Amino acid sequence: MTETPDTTPAPQPVALPEPTTSAPRPGQLTFTAPRRGKPPRHLADLTPAERKDAVESLGHKGFRAKQLSTHYFERLVDDPERMSDLPKAVRGQLVSDLLPPLLTPIVERKADDGQTMKYAWRLHDGAIVESVLMRYPKRVTICISSQAGCGMNCPFCATGQAGLTRNMSTAEIVEQVVWAARALRRGELAGGSDDERDSDRETPLRVSNVVFMGMGEALANYKASIGAIRRLTDPAPDGLGISARGVTMSTVGLVPGMDKLTAEGIPVTLALSLHAPDDELRNELVPINTRWSVDEALDAAYRYFEATGRRVSIEYALIRDINDHGWRADLLGEKLNRRGRGWVHVNPIPLNPTPGSKWTASRPGVEQNFVERLRSAGIPTTIRDTRGQDIDGACGQLAASTA
Ligand code: SAH
């Protein structure tokens, strides 16, 4: 928890609080996001039934809600001029009340020959978040943020070092994907296909995968994040119609949040950021481990697999001479196999060193040895690729440095 000194004077009302957050002390965990002005209400915050109520309480016919949803989620349109099925007189009000602008793009940068795009967004109160859109041969993945900053304070992660500014709303989370979907429709993401048929493709690309691996710990912003999952996966026009299997929820291992997600029964992929198989090291690398240990987090991950049948991913950033020892690969394999076979795969990723970090990526031979030891224990293991390194868009580098 963030501690507030007793001497704090009574808070004065401030119109627009500064998006600055003080850096956390080593190991300090922040679960409660600072309270700031709420982002404006948006269609994507609401369930279909709530949208109907909202439209009716503005004095319009309930079916207008479906029309608006079709514009936003299916046509990806929020410009009243393009909503010709809505009477001119009501368009303006419906759009200003239910489709207010939430994200202002402040930086758009291309990398990897135009196959990767990084976006930095300014939110209504000046907080800044980032997303990264990546084209692969057979899929398009967007890495989205769920909080401005993060309270989990992992010492190798740029976002963790900056602290938690605030939770994002459901619609702010969803809008990142809608913006990306629009960019794809405009053909803004280049190349990336081995598929012959692709060269004369007539239908535009679609977002096939969404990973909650940008800024923030989504399970610490549970309600908004689960709302976003619903909006992403609900079939159009209620939502974007992305397959749940294409959505990955990544967590430091907040066990109660993992269990809640298990109970939702949505077959998204769960990724657990483990980074060490032993509590001693993990307490340092992923401070939440002091609350929920390696075994407790793995048990919760296994329960997720049991309930959903979805194979869980274990994330493991390989840090030179810190967590990349052969014995740690063996211990990880042992702990995973102890719980069962075929329920998990491991995604090692070379550490992306953050500015000023004392740590760096493992040597290639060491990385290979780590992978081979896991594979020989029967654990499917694939090195995760790192995209967007030249634009500070790579994993763990997302920080509000773009302001
Ligand atoms: N809060 C979520 C999402 C964080 S970002 C979570 O912890 O899972 C997604 C992944 O990137 C996590 O596995 C995180 O540990 C990892 N990561 C963070 N910084 C990194 C870095 N500098 N190099 C490699 N991976 C990093």
Side-chain angles (χ1 to χ4, degrees):
M1 299 286 166
T2 316
E3 285 161 27
T4 323
D6 297 334
T7 51
T8 314
Q12 297 296 312
V14 214
L16 274 185
E18 283 300 304
T20 45
T21 312
S22 55
R25 297 184 311 274
Q28 181 190 352
L29 294 162
T30 309
F31 293 103
T32 318
R35 284 183 153 290
R36 296 165 61 112
K38 269 195 156 196
R41 175 186 71 165
H42 187 281
L43 189 81
D45 288 315
L46 308 176
T47 62
E50 290 166 344
R51 290 172 210 168
K52 189 162 171 280
D53 291 347
V55 162
E56 283 171 351
S57 70
L58 290 169
H60 303 292
K61 302 252 167 52
F63 68 86
R64 301 276 177 229
K66 194 114 190 164
Q67 288 177 307
L68 266 189
S69 297
T70 305
H71 286 301
Y72 182 73
F73 288 108
E74 199 165 309
R75 299 184 62 221
L76 309 175
V77 161
D78 60 2
D79 173 4
E81 295 298 315
R82 296 180 57 200
M83 302 182 176
S84 51
D85 57 339
L86 293 171
K88 272 219 157 98
V90 307
R91 280 183 217 169
Q93 194 206 3
L94 282 176
V95 168
S96 66
D97 269 82
L98 285 164
L99 296 173
L102 298 175
L103 307 182
T104 309
I106 53 172
V107 181
E108 291 185 26
R109 269 193 239 157
K110 283 195 175 178
D112 306 317
D113 297 325
Q115 295 176 49
T116 303
M117 283 280 282
K118 176 176 112 163
Y119 302 89
W121 313 105
R122 192 188 303 283
L123 307 181
H124 81 103
D125 58 352
I128 291 166
V129 299
E130 300 185 353
S131 338
V132 185
L133 182 62
M134 295 160 280
R135 180 168 179 182
Y136 295 92
K138 301 236 182 296
R139 65 194 150 97
V140 175
T141 299
I142 183 168
C143 177
I144 55 169
S145 297
S146 58
Q147 297 180 310
C150 186
M152 297 296 107
N153 202 5
C154 302
F156 56 88
C157 173
T159 309
Q161 293 322 286
L164 177 60
T165 299
R166 73 159 164 91
N167 283 328
M168 292 172 73
S169 66
T170 291
E172 286 172 330
I173 300 172
V174 171
E175 267 269 273
Q176 299 168 74
V177 184
V178 171
W179 270 84
R182 289 185 190 131
L184 293 172
R185 280 210 187 158
R186 292 191 299 264
E188 284 178 16
L189 211 62
S193 180
D194 299 334
D195 189 338
E196 289 279 291
R197 285 164 304 178
D198 230 56
S199 51
D200 54 8
R201 109 176 359 261
E202 276 170 9
T203 48
L205 289 172
R206 295 172 58 96
V207 176
S208 54
N209 296 72
V210 178
V211 299
F212 283 79
M213 293 191 181
M215 299 166 105
E217 167 61 32
L219 293 184
N221 181 18
Y222 190 88
K223 208 164 157 253
S225 298
I226 206 73
I229 290 179
R230 301 264 179 217
R231 295 306 103 72
L232 298 177
T233 58
D234 276 352
D238 290 342
L240 286 170
I242 296 170
S243 156
R245 288 155 185 273
V247 175
T248 298
M249 172 55 72
S250 185
T251 178
V252 287
L254 286 178
V255 167
M258 293 165 79
D259 285 336
K260 251 169 131 176
L261 186 67
T262 304
E264 304 278 351
I266 320 172
V268 296
T269 301
L270 179 70
L272 171 63
S273 298
L274 200 67
H275 307 309
D278 53 305
D279 288 322
E280 193 185 351
L281 179 57
R282 194 166 189 266
N283 283 344
E284 190 189 341
L285 295 182
V286 187
I288 197 72
N289 198 71
T290 57
R291 301 290 178 93
W292 292 283
S293 66
V294 169
D295 281 322
E296 287 169 319
L298 288 176
D299 285 342
Y302 188 75
R303 288 195 289 276
Y304 188 81
F305 163 76
E306 274 188 315
T308 62
R310 301 286 300 144
R311 200 163 71 159
V312 171
S313 301
I314 301 289
E315 306 293 303
Y316 201 107
L318 283 165
I319 313 176
R320 186 180 296 184
D321 299 331
I322 300 290
N323 65 353
D324 59 0
H325 315 89
W327 70 265
R328 284 202 157 93
D330 295 342
L331 179 60
L332 175 58
E334 203 181 289
K335 288 200 169 185
L336 298 178
N337 282 334
R338 202 184 293 160
R339 288 168 170 83
R341 293 276 174 163
W343 71 279
V344 69
H345 67 127
V346 177
N347 272 157
I349 178 173
L351 182 81
N352 283 310
T354 55
S357 166
K358 54 185 177 189
W359 289 324
T360 188
S362 302
R363 290 177 186 83
V366 172
E367 175 181 298
Q368 204 44 44
N369 180 49
F370 197 90
V371 169
E372 274 159 20
R373 282 183 184 237
L374 282 166
R375 286 192 183 142
S376 63
I379 311 280
T381 304
T382 28
I383 299 270
R384 190 138 60 85
D385 98 315
T386 57
R387 280 283 186 101
Q389 261 169 324
D390 47 338
I391 50 168
D392 286 351
C395 177
Q397 293 179 344
L398 300 184
S401 57
T402 12

